[in-house]
Amino acid sequence: MTADRLAIRGDLLDFTGAPGWGDTEPAAVRFRSGHWLLVDGGRIVGVQAEAPGGDFDRHDHAGRLVLPGFIDTHVHSPQIDVIASYGSELLDWLTTHTFPAEARHHDQAHAEATAALFLDALIAHGTTAAVVFPTVHAGSVDALFAAAEARGMRVIAGKVLMDRNAPDDLVDSVDSAERDMRRLITRWHGRGRLAYAVTVRFAPTSSPAQLALAGRFCRDDPSLYMQTHLAENRAEVRWVHELFPDARSYLDVYARTGLLHARSVFAHGIWLDDADRAAIAGAGAQIAHSPSSNLFLGSGLFGWRAAEAAGVAVSVASDVGGGTSLSLLRNMADAYKVQALAGERLTAWTALHAATRGAAEALGLGAEIGSLQPGRIADVCVWEPAVGAVPLRRAEVARTLHERVFAWMTLGDERNLVRAYVAGRAHYDRSPS
Ligand code: GUN
Ligand code: ZN
């Protein structure tokens, strides 16, 4: 299925900028019906209405949607094993379900098998790039990066830091964390499409000394990413206030240790105030909104509108296994419903932008991924606009482009994915031809 030069025909949909909140017809939407996307050596080299010459291998998907691969900005590779676990809110869910599953990753063979399964599953859901939490074990990071490299995927990840308030078989120490991070960064950071993220699980599971270590790494090398959880659940927020009584807010615990910067990805950010939002926006950091997780764990309703109004970059994330699907389509549909509960309307455009170009730009990767622009790497997905009698009927009667794409976003999932290309290579094919 590999060809150096290929041309993909379909209804090309991407963004030239950020759509305005609530605008169903923004100029930033670029829809090129029945166009050919030209790919050479894994990169997009052109878009044209006419069929290319015979030197391109033609993949004709007329009538299907062609989008940049989705970017999942917050997901846990080991938590495939705990997706859809019944019965608890965050802190109990971590102890009961998640920590035992993560502890099994001390076994390298298990870590490698899980990493491969996880990345193949991501691609099969239309996600071609991700910001990932493996586990506290350095070997789980090696396994994930090696599997990503084998697939040519853009992956940002790092060893989970947790030196307290966790089971004995899952805690590290300041010293071991420093050693592991140094080795992992040397081996993986900036290698091909891989980048290292200083990965603080969340404030309660790192001592002040370990947070300080994480901050030092970020200060010493600004090219490193940082990922953590922030203000997800009310009991968690109370706990952080008890553990860090001097901090103005949960965010402040991170900010004052050097963990708030342009390469920071904060998962959730539900229970924030205006000062927190202003600080995140001012730093150029982003919030990875994980609506399916927020609903499933009963964490709360994310204030996307307030974040947007404050100038915070918001991306969309699955947060599997707190989230119940790797499909970012499903997560976007959940995001719409979360906003509806707050009396807001999330357009398909704002949601899709957050899952593609918006996420890419917030990660500083806008020149590599997130749009169908010549020069970008060809991480591209082909989607069936409707699968099944009801979605087909709904698509038939849709009057506007937004109506049609919104119905796809709301009714679709991974079963709509026809083919996923990672750097121009078809990695997933629903119907091999
Ligand atoms: N907070 C700390 N760890 C986790 C995790 O694994 N998942 C979620 N959703 N929140 C967390
Ligand atoms: Zn998470």
Side-chain angles (χ1 to χ4, degrees), residues 78 81 101-115:
D81 288 1
E102 293 192 10
R104 292 199 288 275
H105 285 245
H106 76 269
D107 173 352
Q108 194 58 19
H110 179 71
E112 285 168 13
T114 306

Side-chain angles (χ1 to χ4, degrees), residues 330-356:
R330 283 208 184 193
N331 276 277
M332 287 183 250
D334 283 342
Y336 176 84
K337 294 170 194 169
V338 167
Q339 294 315 304
L341 283 168
E344 292 288 346
R345 294 289 165 249
L346 178 72
T347 66
W349 307 136
T350 293
L352 280 170
H353 175 264
T356 55

Side-chain angles (χ1 to χ4, degrees), residues 20 37 49 55 80 93 100 106 113 139 162 170 192 205 252 273 279 288 322 326 354 361 395:
L37 183 79
D55 49 341
I80 290 285
W93 174 84
H106 76 269
M162 44 199 299
L170 268 187
T205 46
D252 188 42
D273 62 18
L326 286 176
E361 287 179 345

Side-chain angles (χ1 to χ4, degrees), residues 74 76 229 268 319:
H74 180 73
H76 300 254
H229 296 89
H268 309 298
D319 191 30

Side-chain angles (χ1 to χ4, degrees), residues 140-194:
S140 76
V141 187
D142 287 316
L144 183 74
F145 276 140
E149 185 171 59
R151 289 159 181 76
M153 276 180 92
R154 161 53 74 178
V155 166
I156 298 168
K159 182 206 114 63
V160 177
L161 297 169
M162 44 199 299
D163 68 347
R164 64 170 177 172
N165 294 322
D168 289 347
D169 56 356
L170 268 187
V171 288
D172 56 6
S173 68
V174 173
D175 288 346
S176 72
E178 178 164 9
R179 270 196 313 277
D180 284 347
M181 282 201 285
R182 285 204 192 291
R183 181 183 73 73
L184 289 166
I185 290 166
T186 304
R187 180 164 184 205
W188 297 109
H189 184 54
R191 173 163 152 177
R193 303 189 74 190
L194 311 174

Side-chain angles (χ1 to χ4, degrees), residues 69-76 118 122 127-132 156 288-290 315-320 325-328 331 354-355 359 363:
F70 291 143
I71 303 163
D72 188 339
T73 52
H74 180 73
V75 59
H76 300 254
F118 167 75
L122 271 189
T127 294
T128 51
V131 185
V132 185
I156 298 168
H289 171 38
S290 308
S315 50
V316 181
S318 69
D319 191 30
V320 160
S325 176
L326 286 176
S327 164
L328 288 194
N331 276 277
L363 292 168

Side-chain angles (χ1 to χ4, degrees), residues 74 76 79 82 90-91 93-94 98-99 102 133-134 160 162 200-205 228-230 232-233 236 250 254 267-268 290 293-294 297 299 318-323:
H74 180 73
H76 300 254
Q79 293 182 17
V82 299
L90 174 65
L91 299 177
W93 174 84
L94 283 173
T98 305
F99 288 156
E102 293 192 10
F133 274 59
V160 177
M162 44 199 299
V200 175
R201 175 164 222 123
F202 65 158
T205 46
T228 191
H229 296 89
L230 169 68
E232 174 179 3
N233 164 289
E236 170 211 15
Y250 191 158
Y254 298 136
H268 309 298
S290 308
S293 169
N294 297 163
L297 294 176
S299 301
S318 69
D319 191 30
V320 160

Side-chain angles (χ1 to χ4, degrees), residues 226-247:
M226 196 293 298
Q227 57 175 344
T228 191
H229 296 89
L230 169 68
E232 174 179 3
N233 164 289
R234 276 175 285 201
E236 170 211 15
V237 174
R238 278 196 299 277
W239 193 20
V240 170
H241 284 305
E242 282 162 29
L243 291 169
F244 301 91
D246 299 339

